[in-house]
Amino acid sequence: MKTRQDILNYAKSLINYANYKMGAKWHTHNNNPAKPKLLDCSGFVVWCYKMAGFKVADGTYMQWQTSEEVNYKELKVGDIGIKESGGVGKYNHIGIYAGSGQWIHCNYSRNGVTLEKTDIFKYYRRFNNVVFEDDKQSKSNSNKKKEDDEMIQQKEFIVNNKKINLDTIFKDNKNYVSLQSLKDANVLNASYDKEKKIAVITSK
C-alpha cells in the first residue's frame, strides 16, 4: 500500500461507477465509504488518497495550499493537476495524473470519472505531506548509487617515471586523488599553517 499505483488503481475503480455532484464527499450523500457513488472533483482526490493510506486536504483551494509545484517533465502517477478559472486563487477543478499524458478526474461535463488526455490542467502539483513507498525506494537506490560512485579505489599512476598506487574517489564521472595518498606516496609535502589556518602543499 501507499504507492503511486495504488492511487491510480483506486481512481480507476470509480470509472463508469461514480457520478459527479458538487460538494459530495466519500462520507456524505449516503455514500459507501469503501466505494462512493457521488463525488465532486476534490472529493474524488481525497477518497483516492484515503484508500491508499494518506490524508490530504479537501477542496481545490486547500489542495493547492498544501501542495508544491512540479515541473511537467517531473510529473509522476498520483501527482495532481489544478485548473484555475476566473482569476488568481480561484481553483475550480482538480485531477490526478495517470501517466503517459493522461489524467483521471471526476468532472461535471461527463457526470463522472474519466481517464483521458487533456490540457485543461495548467498547474502541476504534489502534496507536501505525502511520501509514497516507491519514492522512498527510488531515493534509497539513488543514495546507494551515490555511495557506490564515491567508493574509494586504488588506481595505478605514473609519477616521476615511477608506477605508484594511489587512493582515488570516483565522483561525477571523474577520478579524484586524495592528498593524503599523495603525501604517503612521497609525491607531495603537506603541512598545516596554524597562523594562517590553511593547509600548505608543495611538490617534491
Side-chain angles (χ1 to χ4, degrees):
M1 294 293 288
K2 292 195 173 184
T3 68
R4 290 181 173 276
Q5 190 60 44
D6 290 329
I7 299 286
L8 184 57
N9 290 343
Y10 282 114
K12 286 181 176 180
S13 73
L14 295 188
I15 294 176
N16 297 323
Y17 178 81
N19 296 122
Y20 178 89
K21 185 171 181 62
M22 184 177 292
K25 312 299 176 183
W26 61 268
H27 53 84
T28 66
H29 295 76
N30 294 318
N31 271 324
N32 174 3
K35 196 169 185 180
K37 184 66 177 175
L38 298 173
L39 289 170
D40 63 10
C41 62
S42 61
F44 170 69
V45 171
V46 169
W47 180 81
C48 293
Y49 272 80
K50 172 183 174 296
M51 295 302 289
F54 299 104
K55 183 178 181 180
V56 297
D58 194 11
T60 52
Y61 176 76
M62 288 307 300
Q63 287 167 344
W64 172 281
Q65 292 294 323
T66 55
S67 60
E68 60 186 7
E69 183 180 359
V70 178
N71 185 284
Y72 180 77
K73 293 181 179 179
E74 298 174 345
L75 268 177
K76 296 181 180 180
V77 169
D79 287 337
I80 55 175
I82 294 179
K83 174 185 176 184
E84 182 183 79
S85 178
V88 176
K90 295 187 180 296
Y91 311 109
N92 70 343
H93 192 54
I94 186 170
I96 297 172
Y97 187 62
S100 302
Q102 292 188 311
W103 295 87
I104 188 165
H105 54 130
C106 188
N107 57 95
Y108 170 79
S109 61
R110 309 286 182 81
N111 190 31
V113 177
T114 54
L115 175 65
E116 59 187 331
K117 283 194 174 184
T118 177
D119 61 358
I120 65 171
F121 300 109
K122 305 298 184 184
Y123 301 92
Y124 313 118
R125 315 280 294 179
R126 186 171 294 162
F127 285 116
N128 297 325
N129 65 324
V130 170
V131 180
F132 294 103
E133 293 295 334
D134 30 0
D135 286 353
K136 287 181 183 178
Q137 185 62 42
S138 177
K139 185 176 181 180
S140 175
N141 291 340
S142 177
N143 290 339
K144 178 65 168 59
K145 183 178 184 302
K146 184 177 180 181
E147 290 173 2
D148 291 343
D149 286 347
E150 296 182 4
M151 185 171 59
I152 295 176
Q153 296 178 331
Q154 276 214 337
K155 289 187 177 293
E156 189 177 77
F157 293 84
I158 296 178
V159 179
N160 296 332
N161 296 318
K162 290 171 50 180
K163 288 184 179 181
I164 58 174
N165 291 317
L166 299 174
D167 289 338
T168 65
I169 297 176
F170 184 75
K171 183 178 180 181
D172 300 328
N173 293 319
K174 294 179 181 178
N175 278 306
Y176 295 87
V177 178
S178 72
L179 288 174
Q180 185 61 47
S181 68
L182 289 171
K183 181 182 176 183
D184 293 343
N186 206 29
V187 175
L188 295 177
N189 287 319
S191 61
Y192 185 72
D193 189 320
K194 293 182 179 179
E195 185 177 337
K196 295 182 179 180
K197 296 182 178 180
I198 58 173
V200 179
I201 301 169
T202 58
S203 60
K204 287 191 173 182

